[in-house]
Structures are given as C-alpha cells and as structure tokens.
Amino acid sequence: MAPVTLKQTVDAPLAAVWESWDRYADVHSFHPGIENSYLVENSRSTGLGAKRRCDFVGGKNYILEEIVAYEEQRKMTLKIYDGNIPLKVAFVTFTFKPLGSKRTEITATARFTSKFGPLGLLLRPIMREQLGKGLTELLAGNAAYVAARAA
C-alpha cells in the first residue's frame, strides 16, 4: 500500500475539532469534494463499525467507508471498502493532537491498494496524487469550518 501523510493545524480546541469529525454522516459539511454523505442503513451514528456513503461532487462517483479504529479525541481510522473509483481498499488514519487550549493538529495518513492488478500499479502515482489532493481539501475544509464555528 502506498502511503500519503499530511498535517493541518486548526485554530480551535481539540473538543471542537473532534466533534466535527465525530458527526460522521456530516463530512459533506466541510469537504468541498463531497456533495452528500449519509450513514449506511442500520449503521451506528459514530464509533467503531459506523458506516457511511460519500457521493462526490457531480454525482458520478461514490465511496463507502467504515470506522475501523476509534479512540475518542485521539484517533479515527476509516476503511474505504467499496465504491466506483479505482481503489481496491484504503485506510485513512486521522490523529488529533492539542497544541495548547485553542489549537489542534490533525495528521492524516492514508494507505491504499489500487484496483486493476498490473494496470493499477501503473495508476498508483496518479491515485496517490488524487488521494493527496482530496485529503488536502478535506483537512483545509475542516480547518476553515471548525475555525468559523469557534469564532
């Protein structure tokens, strides 16, 4: 699996940052690339085992995700387990670290395996770039969303 790691500082306390991520069905509120997100039928609302569907802007692409690791206000790992993009599987871990009482650092680390066997290996650099771009937008969108709510 090819790793991608990014960091983002948010001008808000850890509790406010965590709360935005813990509202699991609402990632569309701050991810500019996600048009709609909602819990999968019979899913928990958050925590270990919660599942959601994310529909990308434009309505053609989607992914299904599940929380596979969950430590309140510390860490959340999502598994992208299905969808119509060329990912076979991906794991994205978000770690949350307070930087004093009014700032929080989020580190996102993603590892993925592409679909399409040998062709997928050729697509890996493009997929890594796209995943990095999506994570950058996600983290920046969350930082702006939380900072605006904390102000």
Side-chain angles (χ1 to χ4, degrees):
M1 291 188 181
V4 176
T5 300
L6 299 164
K7 292 185 183 227
Q8 176 75 50
T9 300
V10 183
D11 292 324
L14 173 62
V17 174
W18 177 261
E19 188 268 335
S20 70
W21 291 89
D22 203 34
R23 288 185 305 121
Y24 190 56
D26 296 337
V27 70
H28 68 278
S29 307
F30 55 83
H31 191 315
I34 301 294
E35 189 169 341
N36 191 23
S37 56
Y38 50 90
L39 296 174
V40 173
E41 189 174 339
N42 298 319
S43 174
R44 308 169 47 126
S45 63
T46 191
L48 198 61
K51 294 180 179 182
R52 72 179 172 203
R53 177 180 166 129
C54 297
D55 297 327
F56 291 94
V57 172
K60 293 182 182 178
N61 294 319
Y62 73 93
I63 55 174
L64 298 175
E65 299 176 317
E66 177 180 5
I67 298 176
V68 295
Y70 183 89
E71 297 174 38
E72 192 168 338
Q73 294 193 16
R74 294 193 59 220
K75 179 173 88 169
M76 182 183 297
T77 300
L78 308 180
K79 177 182 179 184
I80 300 171
Y81 65 91
D82 198 3
N84 64 348
I85 62 174
L87 285 178
K88 184 174 184 180
V89 68
F91 294 91
V92 184
T93 299
F94 299 94
T95 56
F96 303 85
K97 177 181 165 187
L99 302 175
S101 63
K102 296 183 180 180
R103 293 180 73 209
T104 304
E105 179 181 78
I106 304 171
T107 302
T109 302
R111 300 184 183 284
F112 69 92
T113 302
S114 307
K115 290 180 182 175
F116 310 125
L119 178 60
L121 292 175
L122 295 174
L123 293 173
R124 184 178 290 172
I126 296 167
M127 290 298 301
R128 187 176 193 284
E129 182 180 325
Q130 290 297 313
L131 184 58
K133 180 182 175 197
L135 282 174
T136 298
E137 291 175 353
L138 171 63
L139 292 171
N142 177 260
Y145 174 80
V146 175
R149 289 179 56 132

